[in-house]
Amino acid sequence: MFTGIIQSVGSIQRIEPRGGDVLLSIAVGKLDMSDVQLGDSIAVNGVCLTVVRFDKQSFDADVSVETLAVTSLKNWKAGTRVNLEKALTPTTRLGGHLVSGHVDGIGEIISRRNAARADQFTVRVPQSIKRYIAHKGSVCVDGISLTVNAVNDDCFELTLVPHTQAETNSGAWQAGTLVNIEVDVLARYLERLLQAGEAPAAVSSITESLLARSGFPGAR
């Protein structure tokens, strides 16, 4: 799990095809690798990847066919700037929201316009996930935890302050930029619960006679 608070902007060093999937090599920028171990998870533009090799300046990760199919990773190339976040720990400040690193779809930046010292972005999402985007709700865009300012059918609005743009790759977003979208995990579970409807009550094996035999007072 992650928080959506970006810790570093890195860059793609190398993309090696490996029999249908790929091996990524990523320069980590200022990301502290001193506590990283093999098998750890690092979110790269919101995609949870497993570290298979690392040093102080970079790490490698395998990317499956499924991940290539559902994320913007298939469009990356050497030099692409990416947002990086190490997995949270029990002592991590939860400054954003709970993010799984499992991308739900690819969005597209439709417009960018000035809003005082900030910039306002309009993002279009696939029809399959638009129902999860809520006004003033949380959404993860390229790994960044952001608040939705407005929703209009399959588009939503974001306002990014200068600090966010300076510390992430969002400063380079323009109309046509493709971004990874992960909706709030609570919205997905809530939908599943509503779809399931009211389940029939389970028949309990705890009976009054069982309680009496077990010595509970008042049972007979």
Side-chain angles (χ1 to χ4, degrees):
M1 298 295 289
F2 307 90
T3 67
I5 304 300
I6 302 307
Q7 297 169 334
S8 176
V9 177
S11 62
I12 303 302
Q13 289 184 315
R14 189 175 68 257
I15 303 176
E16 295 183 10
R18 293 285 182 92
D21 52 30
V22 300
L23 177 73
L24 279 184
S25 183
I26 302 161
V28 299
K30 66 179 182 180
L31 190 70
D32 180 11
M33 299 291 284
S34 63
D35 59 348
V36 171
Q37 300 181 26
L38 289 178
D40 280 0
S41 296
I42 297 178
V44 182
N45 270 12
V47 183
C48 178
L49 297 177
T50 300
V51 175
V52 299
R53 184 213 62 84
F54 71 96
D55 55 34
K56 291 181 180 180
Q57 290 80 37
S58 66
F59 72 94
D60 291 352
D62 290 314
V63 181
S64 69
V65 174
E66 170 67 13
T67 300
L68 289 170
V70 301
T71 71
S72 64
L73 196 153
K74 55 181 168 288
N75 298 316
W76 298 354
K77 56 187 178 182
T80 296
R81 299 175 75 242
V82 289
N83 298 319
L84 302 176
E85 181 191 355
K86 294 184 291 187
L88 63 82
T89 69
T91 59
T92 302
R93 290 181 183 271
L94 189 57
H97 69 284
L98 288 176
V99 174
S100 68
H102 302 155
V103 173
D104 292 295
I106 300 174
E108 180 183 0
I109 306 297
I110 299 303
S111 67
R112 173 177 182 163
R113 57 191 181 277
N114 182 256
R117 293 190 304 114
D119 285 304
Q120 189 163 343
F121 296 84
T122 301
V123 187
R124 179 181 292 137
V125 296
Q127 292 287 326
S128 59
I129 63 173
K130 70 176 186 179
R131 63 184 179 275
Y132 301 111
I133 309 296
H135 179 229
K136 296 303 179 184
S138 296
V139 65
C140 189
V141 183
D142 263 3
I144 312 167
S145 174
L146 297 169
T147 300
V148 177
N149 290 339
V151 179
N152 182 16
D153 191 31
D154 61 350
C155 293
F156 65 91
E157 305 284 338
L158 299 169
T159 300
L160 274 66
V161 298
H163 176 78
T164 300
Q165 296 188 53
E167 295 298 319
T168 70
N169 69 356
S170 61
W173 291 353
Q174 299 293 339
T177 298
L178 299 180
V179 290
N180 292 319
I181 304 291
E182 180 185 334
V183 301
D184 191 340
V185 65
L186 296 178
R188 290 202 297 259
Y189 280 113
L190 179 59
E191 180 185 53
R192 178 59 179 158
L193 288 170
L194 293 173
Q195 287 177 341
E198 185 176 347
V203 177
S204 176
S205 60
I206 301 175
T207 64
E208 191 172 14
S209 61
L210 174 62
L211 292 174
R213 292 197 303 274
S214 301
F216 281 82
R220 59 185 187 278

